[in-house]
Amino acid sequence: MIVKLDKCIGCRSCEIACAREHSPSKSGERITADTRKALSRISIRTGLTNPTDAPEMRPRKGKSKTAITTGKAYPIRCRHCDDPKCVEACMSGALIKNEEGAVIHDPDKCVGCWMCIMACPYGAIKRDLENKIIVKCDLCLHRDTPACVEACKTGAIVCIVGEKSERQNESIAEGSG
């Protein structure tokens, strides 16, 4: 999945679609009646004034800082890294990288130690304080297209299948792709 920063308008449609998709009822009308709070696995942040405010916005070694726009909305989500530090930090085995390259969370194994949150360089893992576990993007593996991608009306979030997506994500986030 890649994010085209120049197309994100901060409408939060991706957050709502993600929360709805991961709610028990999967219904926008009944989401408030669900006994379990629906949590989005993607976040929109705005008001970036310094590249160091958002780890995913930090320029990679040898890349230009010119793509960083102040005051611009940008989504934060799991990048399903090639070498995921969250999986390495997970002491309970609740996080694994599957054969398709997705970093998957098993809530039944999670002990809520938050080590993965501290290890993630992108700030993409959230706390579910109610259940004392983490939540993170699962790429909606049960769907053909992730809910956030379907909900994004500007085309800022695009799903690309294949091993090039992480590198393309970095280049687009930094404005060179």
Side-chain angles (χ1 to χ4, degrees):
M1 200 159 26
I2 63 170
V3 175
K4 298 177 181 177
L5 294 178
D6 59 328
K7 292 189 173 186
C8 181
I9 59 172
C11 68
R12 299 185 184 272
S13 294
C14 56
E15 286 182 336
I16 295 166
C18 181
R20 183 179 46 236
E21 183 61 29
H22 292 89
S23 70
S25 66
K26 298 191 186 316
S27 165
E29 296 170 3
R30 296 188 320 207
I31 198 167
T32 55
D34 287 341
T35 56
R36 194 181 80 208
K37 185 177 177 183
L39 296 173
S40 173
R41 275 78 173 147
I42 189 169
S43 300
I44 297 295
R45 293 194 186 155
T46 56
L48 185 66
T49 57
N50 183 331
T52 58
D53 288 350
E56 70 277 8
M57 297 292 286
R58 291 182 192 146
R60 299 277 181 211
K61 186 176 181 181
K63 299 286 183 173
S64 167
K65 294 181 182 180
T66 57
I68 296 168
T69 306
T70 59
K72 182 81 173 118
Y74 58 97
I76 295 190
R77 54 140 193 94
C78 177
R79 292 182 173 208
H80 301 274
C81 302
D82 288 339
D83 181 24
K85 301 301 179 199
C86 59
V87 172
E88 190 176 305
C90 182
M91 63 181 185
S92 66
L95 288 172
I96 61 162
K97 187 164 180 79
N98 71 11
E99 293 176 1
E100 290 82 28
V103 175
I104 302 300
H105 175 243
D106 182 346
D108 294 332
K109 291 183 178 178
C110 185
V111 295
C113 67
W114 315 135
M115 292 300 291
C116 55
I117 293 172
M118 291 186 273
C120 176
Y122 303 109
I125 302 173
K126 294 180 173 182
R127 291 177 177 88
D128 175 354
L129 295 174
E130 183 179 323
N131 296 303
K132 297 182 173 71
I133 59 173
I134 61 115
V135 292
K136 64 167 291 306
C137 172
D138 59 4
L139 293 174
C140 294
L141 291 176
H142 55 286
R143 299 172 49 121
D144 290 337
T145 304
C148 61
V149 173
E150 279 186 7
C152 184
K153 302 301 180 204
T154 63
I157 304 173
V158 180
C159 193
I160 295 177
V161 178
E163 61 188 54
K164 292 173 33 177
S165 62
E166 185 172 346
R167 277 177 270 145
Q168 287 174 336
N169 190 7
E170 290 173 2
S171 65
I172 288 174
E174 293 171 12
S176 62

